PDB file of all heavy atoms in Angstrom:
ATOM      1  N   LEU A  31     100.713 110.239 102.830  1.00 97.00           N
ATOM      2  CA  LEU A  31     102.134 109.835 103.063  1.00 97.00           C
ATOM      3  C   LEU A  31     102.852 110.985 103.775  1.00 97.00           C
ATOM      4  O   LEU A  31     102.710 112.174 103.431  1.00 97.00           O
ATOM      5  CB  LEU A  31     102.827 109.598 101.719  1.00 97.00           C
ATOM      6  CG  LEU A  31     102.201 108.508 100.833  1.00 97.00           C
ATOM      7  CD1 LEU A  31     102.840 108.486  99.466  1.00 97.00           C
ATOM      8  CD2 LEU A  31     102.335 107.151 101.490  1.00 97.00           C
ATOM      9  N   VAL A  32     103.627 110.607 104.794  1.00 95.00           N
ATOM     10  CA  VAL A  32     104.437 111.568 105.512  1.00 95.00           C
ATOM     11  C   VAL A  32     105.905 111.104 105.532  1.00 95.00           C
ATOM     12  O   VAL A  32     106.172 110.013 106.037  1.00 95.00           O
ATOM     13  CB  VAL A  32     103.927 111.740 106.979  1.00 95.00           C
ATOM     14  CG1 VAL A  32     104.838 112.700 107.748  1.00 95.00           C
ATOM     15  CG2 VAL A  32     102.517 112.239 106.965  1.00 95.00           C
ATOM     16  N   GLU A  33     106.745 111.916 104.958  1.00 95.00           N
ATOM     17  CA  GLU A  33     108.149 111.564 104.859  1.00 95.00           C
ATOM     18  C   GLU A  33     108.965 112.236 106.001  1.00 95.00           C
ATOM     19  O   GLU A  33     108.589 113.303 106.452  1.00 95.00           O
ATOM     20  CB  GLU A  33     108.729 112.039 103.517  1.00 95.00           C
ATOM     21  CG  GLU A  33     108.010 111.420 102.329  1.00 95.00           C
ATOM     22  CD  GLU A  33     108.148 112.276 101.106  1.00 95.00           C
ATOM     23  OE1 GLU A  33     108.553 113.413 101.236  1.00 95.00           O
ATOM     24  OE2 GLU A  33     107.806 111.756 100.001  1.00 95.00           O
ATOM     25  N   SER A  34     110.079 111.630 106.334  1.00 94.00           N
ATOM     26  CA  SER A  34     110.980 112.199 107.302  1.00 94.00           C
ATOM     27  C   SER A  34     112.373 111.672 107.070  1.00 94.00           C
ATOM     28  O   SER A  34     112.544 110.663 106.356  1.00 94.00           O
ATOM     29  CB  SER A  34     110.526 111.909 108.720  1.00 94.00           C
ATOM     30  OG  SER A  34     110.480 110.480 108.949  1.00 94.00           O
ATOM     31  N   GLY A  35     113.362 112.322 107.656  1.00 94.00           N
ATOM     32  CA  GLY A  35     114.723 111.826 107.620  1.00 94.00           C
ATOM     33  C   GLY A  35     115.682 112.498 106.670  1.00 94.00           C
ATOM     34  O   GLY A  35     116.837 112.156 106.630  1.00 94.00           O
ATOM     35  N   GLY A  36     115.205 113.423 105.879  1.00 91.00           N
ATOM     36  CA  GLY A  36     116.115 114.143 105.002  1.00 91.00           C
ATOM     37  C   GLY A  36     117.071 115.055 105.815  1.00 91.00           C
ATOM     38  O   GLY A  36     116.972 115.161 106.987  1.00 91.00           O
ATOM     39  N   GLY A  37     117.961 115.647 105.089  1.00 97.00           N
ATOM     40  CA  GLY A  37     118.920 116.539 105.734  1.00 97.00           C
ATOM     41  C   GLY A  37     120.217 116.613 104.963  1.00 97.00           C
ATOM     42  O   GLY A  37     120.240 116.396 103.736  1.00 97.00           O
ATOM     43  N   SER A  38     121.286 116.956 105.673  1.00 97.00           N
ATOM     44  CA  SER A  38     122.573 117.126 105.038  1.00 97.00           C
ATOM     45  C   SER A  38     123.534 116.048 105.490  1.00 97.00           C
ATOM     46  O   SER A  38     123.493 115.598 106.644  1.00 97.00           O
ATOM     47  CB  SER A  38     123.150 118.508 105.394  1.00 97.00           C
ATOM     48  OG  SER A  38     122.343 119.515 104.876  1.00 97.00           O
ATOM     49  N   ALA A  39     124.418 115.668 104.613  1.00 98.00           N
ATOM     50  CA  ALA A  39     125.470 114.717 104.936  1.00 98.00           C
ATOM     51  C   ALA A  39     126.734 115.036 104.110  1.00 98.00           C
ATOM     52  O   ALA A  39     126.629 115.677 103.048  1.00 98.00           O
ATOM     53  CB  ALA A  39     125.013 113.304 104.646  1.00 98.00           C
ATOM     54  N   GLN A  40     127.846 114.602 104.614  1.00 98.00           N
ATOM     55  CA  GLN A  40     129.093 114.741 103.857  1.00 98.00           C
ATOM     56  C   GLN A  40     129.219 113.586 102.894  1.00 98.00           C
ATOM     57  O   GLN A  40     128.627 112.511 103.093  1.00 98.00           O
ATOM     58  CB  GLN A  40     130.271 114.774 104.816  1.00 98.00           C
ATOM     59  CG  GLN A  40     130.312 116.007 105.717  1.00 98.00           C
ATOM     60  CD  GLN A  40     131.576 116.087 106.505  1.00 98.00           C
ATOM     61  OE1 GLN A  40     132.270 115.102 106.735  1.00 98.00           O
ATOM     62  NE2 GLN A  40     131.906 117.320 106.953  1.00 98.00           N
ATOM     63  N   PRO A  41     129.989 113.766 101.850  1.00 98.00           N
ATOM     64  CA  PRO A  41     130.275 112.620 100.960  1.00 98.00           C
ATOM     65  C   PRO A  41     130.810 111.444 101.716  1.00 98.00           C
ATOM     66  O   PRO A  41     131.666 111.597 102.598  1.00 98.00           O
ATOM     67  CB  PRO A  41     131.324 113.179  99.987  1.00 98.00           C
ATOM     68  CG  PRO A  41     131.055 114.644  99.956  1.00 98.00           C
ATOM     69  CD  PRO A  41     130.633 114.998 101.365  1.00 98.00           C
ATOM     70  N   GLY A  42     130.279 110.265 101.441  1.00 98.00           N
ATOM     71  CA  GLY A  42     130.638 109.068 102.169  1.00 98.00           C
ATOM     72  C   GLY A  42     129.754 108.819 103.410  1.00 98.00           C
ATOM     73  O   GLY A  42     129.841 107.737 103.986  1.00 98.00           O
ATOM     74  N   GLY A  43     128.924 109.766 103.711  1.00 98.00           N
ATOM     75  CA  GLY A  43     128.043 109.643 104.882  1.00 98.00           C
ATOM     76  C   GLY A  43     126.807 108.861 104.600  1.00 98.00           C
ATOM     77  O   GLY A  43     126.625 108.311 103.484  1.00 98.00           O
TER      78      GLY A  43
END
Side-chain angles (χ1 to χ4, degrees):
L31 302 172
V32 177
E33 300 155 348
S34 60
S38 298
Q40 293 188 338

